[in-house]
Amino acid sequence: MITVNIPFFNIRKIADSGQCFRLNRTEEKEWTLIAFGKVLFIRELPDGAYRFSCTETEFRAVWRRYFDLDACYDCYAEKIPKSDRFLTEAAAYSEGIRILNQDPWETLVTFIISQRRSIPAIKTAVERLSEKFGKPVRKAGKTFYAFPTPAALTAAGTEGILSCSVGYRAPYIYGAARMVLSGELDLNGMARLSDPELLSVLLSVRGVGIKVANCVMLFGFHRIDSFPVDVWIQRMIDLHYNGRFPLRRYSGFAGIIQQYMFFYGREKS
DNA sequence: TGCCAGGCTTCAC
DNA sequence: GTGAAGCATGGC
């Protein structure tokens, strides 16, 4: 157990920001996260402090990067012109959200599942996949399940994957698992590609279009210039920018702006 | 019960 | 190159 005081960090907002599907509130002030085959309990304490159920070594080695704690998030909001009232409000409302460094494989599959589904439905499917094909992890007397590996999902086959309520996306997930297992899709090597190269490789996966590819870039490869446009973002752009968003103004960190728009837009609707 | 969900592929034209 | 149809299934 370690207690940390973290500025510009709000676990409630991160959990509800739609970028990850295995960070869930389990009590009034407690969240449970399953990532990288580990289980982490996060308790919110008074005055912006948090208690994490891990050693300091694990926190430094795994979670510090996962939660992007070395980045300066107050710097981003400063770059929004005050004349843009919508975005200024969105950024203020979203203070505490960080762009997570998630596992690229898990991000790829979960965002393939995300197409044309609500966030609760995505979470259900991800849990079913994990419970059925993921490795069990014991923590605090309970059993949790790691996200299944490409090998496990290849072994599961399209039929096995289909039994986890992923619908027509089952062959997409199976295909992606096979691509990774065969080495055709080298997720480790892809980390070295430029943004346009990475986008192009992701688009070569069947079932991955421009929106999902941008989500994988942003949430799985930490390419914070990626700007996924889904129905919510398009709605915000139509509503507040007459259909044309000044994307170039936020070059270099557009993904963070996108996340503020998504979170604020959804919570205020 | 019916509608919608962090879209993508396929097929006309 | 552009636009529209079709898609499986859970949650509200």
Side-chain angles (χ1 to χ4, degrees), chain A residues 32-220:
Chain A
T32 299
L33 167 67
I34 308 165
F36 303 118
K38 297 178 191 301
V39 178
L40 185 69
F41 303 127
I42 305 153
R43 177 161 283 276
E44 190 182 343
L45 304 173
D47 302 322
Y50 287 90
R51 191 171 67 220
F52 296 86
S53 67
C54 64
T55 63
E56 192 170 342
T57 307
E58 180 180 309
F59 188 80
R60 272 203 297 251
V62 181
W63 305 117
R64 197 167 177 80
R65 179 172 177 277
Y66 180 82
F67 287 112
D68 201 27
L69 298 186
D70 292 318
C72 166
Y73 275 77
D74 51 334
C75 307
Y76 299 126
E78 285 174 5
K79 294 178 183 168
I80 298 167
K82 293 286 175 283
S83 57
D84 189 335
R85 290 189 59 190
F86 164 71
L87 206 48
T88 302
E89 277 179 34
Y93 185 86
S94 307
E95 184 180 302
I97 291 180
R98 286 166 181 268
I99 303 294
L100 302 176
N101 281 282
Q102 300 184 71
D103 173 61
W105 165 244
E106 180 174 334
T107 312
L108 175 63
V109 176
T110 54
F111 277 93
I112 286 175
I113 293 171
S114 79
Q115 58 184 270
R116 258 178 77 90
R117 304 218 77 175
S118 65
I119 291 174
I122 300 164
K123 288 188 176 189
T124 299
V126 172
E127 284 317 302
R128 285 187 185 163
L129 270 179
S130 302
E131 283 168 14
K132 211 155 184 180
F133 304 112
K135 195 176 149 194
V137 184
R138 296 281 296 173
K139 179 116 176 179
K142 291 184 195 165
T143 304
F144 299 86
Y145 294 89
F147 189 79
T149 62
L153 290 185
T154 302
T158 308
E159 288 301 312
I161 295 168
L162 189 57
S163 70
C164 300
S165 55
V166 297
Y168 65 87
R169 306 156 194 83
Y172 299 160
I173 297 167
Y174 178 70
R178 288 200 57 168
M179 281 178 83
V180 173
L181 197 62
S182 71
E184 186 184 350
L185 195 67
D186 175 13
L187 292 169
N188 293 323
M190 283 157 64
R192 291 189 289 274
L193 299 178
S194 68
D195 284 7
E197 289 169 337
L198 180 57
L199 180 67
S200 165
V201 173
L202 286 168
L203 289 173
S204 74
V205 179
R206 200 169 127 76
V208 175
I210 189 68
K211 188 271 172 180
V212 168
N214 271 288
C215 284
V216 177
M217 290 181 68
L218 182 58
F219 306 129

